[in-house]
Amino acid sequence: MSKRKPFPTLPDTAPTAKKVWKSLEEKRDPKPAAEAATKEFISPISLTRRGLLGFGASTAALATSGCLRRPIEHIYPYTKAPEYVIPGVADHYATILPRRGEVVGVLVESHEGRPTKVEGNEEHPTSLGSADVLLQAATMDLYDADRSTDVREKGKKSDWAAFDKAFAAILKTSQADGGARVRILSRPSSSPTFVRLRAQAKDKYPHARAHWFAPVAESGSREGSRVAFGQAVVARYNYAFAKAIVSLDADFLHGEQGALHATKGFVRGRRMDRPSDPMSRLYVAEPSLTVTGSNADDRIRVAASDIDSLVRALAAELTTRGVELGAIKDVVATAKPPEGSEAFVKAAADDLVANKGKSAVVAGRRQPSHVHALVHAINTALDNVGRTTSYAPVVDVTEPADLGADLKALADDIDQNKVDVLIILGGNPVFDAPGDIKLAEKLDKVPTTIHLASHFDETSEHCTWHLPLAHELETWGDGRAFDATYSIQQPLIAPLHGGRSAIEILANLTDEAPKGHDLVRTTFRERAAVPSRFEGAWKTAVRLGLDAGSNSVQFEAHATLDEVAAAITKAPLTKPITASNMEVTFSPCNKLHDGASANNPWLLEVPDPITKIVWDNAALLSPTTAKALGIESQDVISISREGSPAIEVAVWIQPGQADNSIGLSLGWGRQNVGRYGNARGFHVSPLRSSKSMDMLDGVKVSKAGKTYKVVQTQDHDRMEGRPLAIDATVDEYKANPNFVLFPGDRKEEVDIGPLHRELERPGSVTPKTQPLWDRVKYEGHKWGMTIDLNACTGCNACVVACIAENNIAFVGKEQVFRGREMHWIRVDRYYVGESEENPEVAFQPVACVQCEEAPCENVCPVNATIHSEEGLNDMAYNRCIGTRYCANNCPYKVRRFNFLEWRGPEGAQQRVQDMYQDIPETEKMAFNPNVTVRMRGVMEKCTYCVQRIEEAKIGARRESRAIAPNEIKTACQQTCPADAIVFGDLNNPKSEVSRQNRSDRGYALLAVLGTHPRTTHLGKIRNPSPALRKHAKPSEVKREGGSGETPK
Amino acid sequence: MQIFPRVLNKLPLYGAVGGVVALLGAIAVPWYYFSPKNLQVGYEPKQPVPYSHRLHAGQMGIDCRYCHAQVERAAHAMIPPTQTCMGCHTLVKADSAMLAPIRESWETGQPMEWVKVHKLPEHTYFNHSVHVAVGVGCATCHGRIDQMDVVRLDQPIAMQWCLECHRNATPNLRPKDQVTNMSYTADKAPAGWKAPDVHPPTNCSGCHR
Amino acid sequence: MSYRPIKEIGEVYLTDEGMTFHEVSDTVCGVTERKAPRNWWIAFFIAASFTGVLGAAIGYLFWQGVGVWGNNAPVYWAWDITNFVWWIGIGHAGTLISAVLFIFRQKWRTAINRAAEAMTIFAVICALMFPGIHVGRVWFAYYMFPIPNQMALWPNFKSPLIWDLFAVSTYFTVSLLFWYSGLIPDFALMRDRAMGMTGRQGKIRRMVYGALALGWRGSNRHWQHYERMYLILAALSTPLVLSVHSVVSFDFATSVVPGWHTTIFPPYFVAGAIFSGFAMVMTLMIITRAVYGMKSIITIRHLELMNKIIMLTGSLVGYAYAMEFFIAAYSGNEYERYVFMNRAFGPYKWAYWTMITCNVVVPQVFWVKRMRTSIPVMFAVSILVNIGMWFERFVIIVTSLHRDFLPSSWGYYRPTLVDMGIYSGTLGFFFTCFLLFIRWVPMVAIAEVKGVLPQADPHDASVHEEEEESHGGHEPEPEAAE
């Protein structure tokens, strides 16, 4: 941490200042610890990182406490205190974090200049206060101990000074021929500053050429929009108003651009407060089960390559229903839907027509341009434009249509020896490039290659110069959100490893000074309307993290049908996918995305939302296909295709997978990223081809004769007919608003004493006989939570948010295999319905439900877990001795036990084998100082973020006011893009939670046990098309199940 | 034939009595010896600069919050930055030898190394602001700082001690304007003033999170 | 046919007729006075080395944490508690045989009660280890004791674990006293026999046994006090026999876990405990009587009587198994139902059927007298029963936990080497103790055995009248097996 230099515009973060306060570094600073170990009787938790000390503590104490009354501990105050930093009180700064071709606005919590937690920025249209898995894990990326720390020349340590000198020289020489032999390779960027600088560089070096490459790109949709509208735009859907949504291979709730915004809207369109509420219907046709697919009302499995024919058929169906598609009509007239999807297409068409102007058709980024064009045409024809869809211009209009081809062009230039200087700004092309390009050997041919990257990775190894890239939380920058909101990125901490940002490097090719702050200001100045108001506008923009109103550039575009028709005629249909013509699809990983965060243990350990696999990716096969090929889960198969090398991948048999289609996820199999990410999962890029990056047909599959252990956090997929995640269709809900009740359920206000009416929780039979003793009455606060299964999309953001907020340890693949993951909240994923091939999915987030009659409490021999007067099921880590009885007796299995010292030297080996000895210094910086770090041998669990509750209570007390109805948000609630989780005071009639708690969909999980949970789940509602009514409802929950029981 | 001397006949008796005594001792001795009362109270380490609260707070009557500025806003009362010292000592005793470390810290930017006196276990979360807000006097926990040349631990900072007050806070409360008044005693309370009813937390999560 | 005195109804000599007091003393004390046979040394070496394994394993456990075991979520308890309950169970027979049979005037106990009690002590020590070492933070285990402290915190007396702690330690204390008080007269005897001995050995024996005998002189006064104390202790420990394992069963019965949460547990556990206890006594007695030629004191008759009890308790346990299923089915509680179906046909069915075979099926052979009296058969059975009872605990604990309420959290338990090390280690420790016991302590209650000799019966004239006959006459009972 000595590397941390004070950043001019930031609070003074003198490394020692933190020592004043009860911060975890203090505890973790080895010196006092060592003293403590030998000198004094020390408290258990302070031993966190030294299981060994724990063992010896009492003896050490007895033996030596006589010598010294107490260890000397020092307090290091500031020398000059920054006035706006109150030590021990967190600050929040608005900034942005980039995502492929877009940015997401976030609010970052900072403790004495130490970013600890990322939240959504409520002001920002992209996040609206929510954050997803990747954003939540961003701090761990920042503190990644394996980030590149210094400049390297030919792999040998060098420094910036040396590089700047060399770089200047290189540029000087290449200026002669106008930079004809200079190439700049970068990822598609939404940063106006970046684009501006590149343009300037172009002026200075007219013959230099820019190239674009990213493993996951929007090529198809950009090109499609270019065809449809004559210019590249980003489509923005307003799912809140859409009554019928047809998603064609589009995971718009998770994998696509603007997913957070989409989720918010989608969920708003489906909120069911009462049976009469309208609800949208989602049709999904996709090859692999995605988050979106698992939330579909009607879903069919269609190979990615067959989507083309499906969408043409859809268009045809629409025209027959009188939708005006002009020239397209004839083109698609003969189109046949892929077999099995006929009914689906008809039903979808019906609904679309029925909801003209209130519908939306979405195509996935994977799909070719003409599919996107056709979809735009359809939306135009259904006149959804301006209602459910609008369009925003892209920032970088120069970005080519096909990035694969563009990279190929660069490779060819290199072969023809046209390149002397190649500047790679970010990204890891060698790893990501399609196999047929063989970029590595190409790079070796270039005299000077400069690579700016966060890690000394696969690409850096082949480059002359490696430059450490600063994290987005360390540098200035800007970007345009998917809806064109201009957003500003401000640093929260000085570059830990002295890295630089892409714009700072790029600036060297221009006349501007390479200072991130100034570069961004310049860009902003150019946009600012009135120069005189610039300063004010700038300050506001920095404070808010965005330039308010900048997304007004959105417009309504109407597709030119003839162009589209032409495009479709030009694009021949691909051969349908069959057992003889199998396809592979490549999609960004649900957790690692494109693999930029491949060394982030939080992401590696959080389960995949669908497969629940951790620490690996796998080739997803449908049960039928697997049987046909004679393959079991965990077998290793080799996938080959002429033109590209074969790859070996472990198989996972996944319900919902299209037959003969193999789902592969990108971002795994890194060899050179760091202690956590190395050799995790399988590297699939080599199989890709620069011609078609995202899906390939005609692949051959053969058994590799090996097996590979794949580990899940949940290995049982069915509810066994138990009333757990309860769901119903809209009709059933209308027929029986209390469908969550079971025979014998009571659901009325029961009087449990003066002023205390409470809802008897149904959900399964509530105990017929009440306990012999009086229920406790909770005056004052009565904390409770509701989790709306109808809203939850299963994205897992809450899990990572909880990890970041509560300092939850990760344990490694082997320990997860032993069932020892530590996540306080988990999202149970159940398959519902008879079909093995294409089941419905029910997600159910489960954290500690804070039972009022908690089974865990009365079995603890040492009173380590006790009820608070506000009904919280308190867990006192420092009292726990670890008999684990409470966890045995917890019906919800939400308690987590520190079986080993996950963060200590001993635990380290157990935890992630042969990875490292002790937790790295930088990782310690990620800790939330308001939450104890638990040592081994201690039980832990969700506390409703009690540290936030106490903070709010103290604040209220300080200002002698009452806590506002919805003032306190738990970490999971705050981040949930679907607003599925609501927390608050059940005794406060004004609070949202008390309202939701009385919803007729509300039920208590395992109410039969009489635990009286404080967390209420709200039943899930499905809205399947009557035309496709295949539903064996009510899901698989047996109504008689659980009936006739009496409490024990 | 006698194997053992006669006196040993009493051995079992002695053994029994001794055993009981030993057992009780084994409990009582650590109980007392490891008690904060014994281990902590009276802790009076030497500070790098012999800063005298008696002089500053006592004789000059500088208010506590002049230096411990965050006590009303944050969990930590805050040890003042070197800045604060220099605020006066650029003029007063600007060249006193005793203040050399302060000046050095000011020039080099290296923080002062004060020795921590009031220490809580890391798993215990204490918040100054709320205690001050409800009217717990500084002196209640820190003793007559204004009479100390060297800061000395006045109260045993142990769970039991905290609980005593948390279970019945009233005796330890005072009007808010009296919080920093070192010499305040219950009888000095203004007529008609009644201690507010601040039922402080007595459950685990009140202090352990 | 000469005159024979009337004996108590249905009672026959419990030793081979014609044994004299002196022979009894010689047979028993001789063991400790002669040099240890070679087999003893071999056995001791093996047992001791396993004790070493135990030490190593526990050290590693403390160093690394409970994670070195296979325990996981949801199976938070596994072999640790399994072993605990198993050992406690074994520790039952001792007190049962001594106290309960004593109170019921079952004289046949005399030959076996000493060894059985010793076994109890050692088994309970093994058992007591586990609550100590299975906790996550051993160095804070003392939180469980009600010791005044600075945190003003006390244990949670609502927790079955606390009841358990007290129940087991009480049981241990009483058993120890009971065992020791029974030993006093015999220690005195050893001391007196040592009087004659010369050299250092004699001196040491005099000192040690002298000290242990607490100055016993065998005067009427001594005997009177002794008898009374023995009776009181017996009365004290009889209810304990029932209470201990009932309380242990509360650890499970008071929980909400399906498969644990049943009212049948206390009697069921006690029966099981006696079952396994007798089996273990059986195993040990068969070995010792063979090795040390005590066939004349521990007769086939004793063994047969024990076999009957084994058969009885075995059937009781079998009944309990059946009853559990019935209750689950009858309750209509789907979770209960599932757990029991899962036991019998789920991933752990191998364990379940092992249990059924060893505990219910096998003991039924004892309906046949030839089986009851055949040494090899009863030896095999006793071993099998111990295995079966271990599996019973394993089945109850692991199969109930591994699939409880939420299928999303179901799991599977696999033991690790450390698990096995610790288990085999306790076995090693147990046998080490037992071997030391038979080496240095009279393994049969000499005084009591003498008490049941005909000579001890004032009305029995036969000893005087038919000396030569009783010497020459009666051949020992046939023992086909040997």
Side-chain angles (χ1 to χ4, degrees), chain B residues 20-176:
Chain B
V20 173
V21 172
L23 188 68
L24 294 180
I27 294 171
V29 168
W31 182 28
Y32 169 74
Y33 185 76
F34 290 135
S35 71
K37 239 196 193 59
N38 178 50
L39 282 178
Q40 296 180 7
V41 175
Y43 179 57
E44 198 172 13
K46 187 174 173 305
Q47 301 289 356
V49 173
Y51 172 86
S52 164
H53 279 83
R54 179 202 293 280
L55 176 65
H56 292 80
Q59 289 165 20
M60 302 184 186
I62 303 175
D63 187 283
C64 309
R65 289 161 293 188
Y66 181 82
C67 301
H68 304 292
Q70 307 298 2
V71 74
E72 285 168 315
R73 279 180 282 175
H76 312 294
M78 184 171 94
I79 303 300
T82 317
Q83 217 170 7
T84 315
C85 313
M86 293 306 284
C88 302
H89 287 292
T90 40
L91 311 169
V92 189
K93 291 195 178 287
D95 44 17
S96 145
M98 281 195 299
L99 292 170
I102 299 281
R103 288 194 297 273
E104 188 194 340
S105 148
W106 181 247
E107 283 140 19
T108 58
Q110 283 308 308
M112 292 293 302
E113 275 209 357
W114 300 106
V115 182
K116 201 169 189 176
V117 180
H118 300 89
K119 187 178 119 199
L120 266 78
E122 283 80 356
H123 53 72
T124 310
Y125 289 83
F126 175 82
N127 188 308
H128 271 97
S129 66
V130 69
H131 287 82
V132 172
V134 298
V136 179
C138 306
T140 313
C141 306
H142 295 287
R144 292 304 299 270
I145 288 281
D146 63 327
Q147 294 173 1
M148 299 181 191
D149 276 317
V150 182
V151 178
R152 179 173 163 288
L153 187 66
D154 186 67
Q155 295 290 329
I157 304 184
M159 185 162 161
Q160 196 162 23
W161 175 78
C162 299
L163 279 174
E164 273 160 20
C165 180
H166 271 234
R167 285 179 175 145
N168 173 24
T170 326
N172 297 316
L173 298 181
R174 50 175 82 179
K176 297 201 176 136

Side-chain angles (χ1 to χ4, degrees), chain A residues 4 25 109-116 143 924-927 929:
Chain A
R4 300 167 61 190
E25 289 90 322
E109 179 179 342
S110 161
H111 288 270
E112 292 91 49
R114 183 167 59 87
T116 56
Y143 296 127
K924 298 170 187 170
M925 294 171 68
F927 283 125

Side-chain angles (χ1 to χ4, degrees), chain A residues 44 54 722 818-820 826 828 859-861 863 880-885 888-889 893 895 899 936 1042 1048, chain C residues 62-63 67 69 71-73 76-77 80 134 136-137 154 156 159 251 255-257 261 333-334 404-405 408-409:
Chain A
R722 302 177 178 186
R818 282 225 174 265
R820 292 170 180 174
R826 60 171 197 266
D828 292 346
V859 298
C860 174
N863 279 326
C880 176
I881 62 173
T883 64
R884 311 189 292 291
Y885 197 172
N888 282 338
N889 212 26
K893 287 288 172 281
R895 289 178 158 264
F899 279 94
R936 70 132 150 143
K1048 324 275 184 2
Chain C
F62 286 1
W63 188 273
W69 284 343
N71 301 37
N72 60 24
Y76 287 93
W77 285 351
D80 44 1
H134 97 291
R137 302 198 297 171
W154 296 94
N156 174 11
S159 166
D251 287 351
S255 78
V256 300
V257 181
H261 182 94
N333 178 325
E334 59 187 301
D404 64 349
F405 295 97
S408 64
S409 329

Side-chain angles (χ1 to χ4, degrees), chain A residues 16 21-22 27 46 65-66 69-70 73-79 81 868-869 874 878 929 931-932 958, chain B residues 34 38 43 72-73 76 78 81-83 111-114 116-117 119 122-125 129 203 205 209:
Chain A
T16 48
W21 317 109
K22 184 204 310 278
K27 290 191 296 179
S46 74
S65 54
R69 300 195 83 183
R70 60 199 341 238
E73 259 189 40
H74 286 108
I75 296 179
Y76 302 89
Y78 287 116
T79 47
S868 83
E869 60 266 23
D874 284 350
N878 40 305
V931 177
T932 311
R958 201 163 47 214
Chain B
F34 290 135
N38 178 50
Y43 179 57
E72 285 168 315
R73 279 180 282 175
H76 312 294
M78 184 171 94
T82 317
Q83 217 170 7
M112 292 293 302
E113 275 209 357
W114 300 106
K116 201 169 189 176
V117 180
K119 187 178 119 199
E122 283 80 356
H123 53 72
T124 310
Y125 289 83
S129 66
N203 51 295
S205 58
R209 295 155 204 169

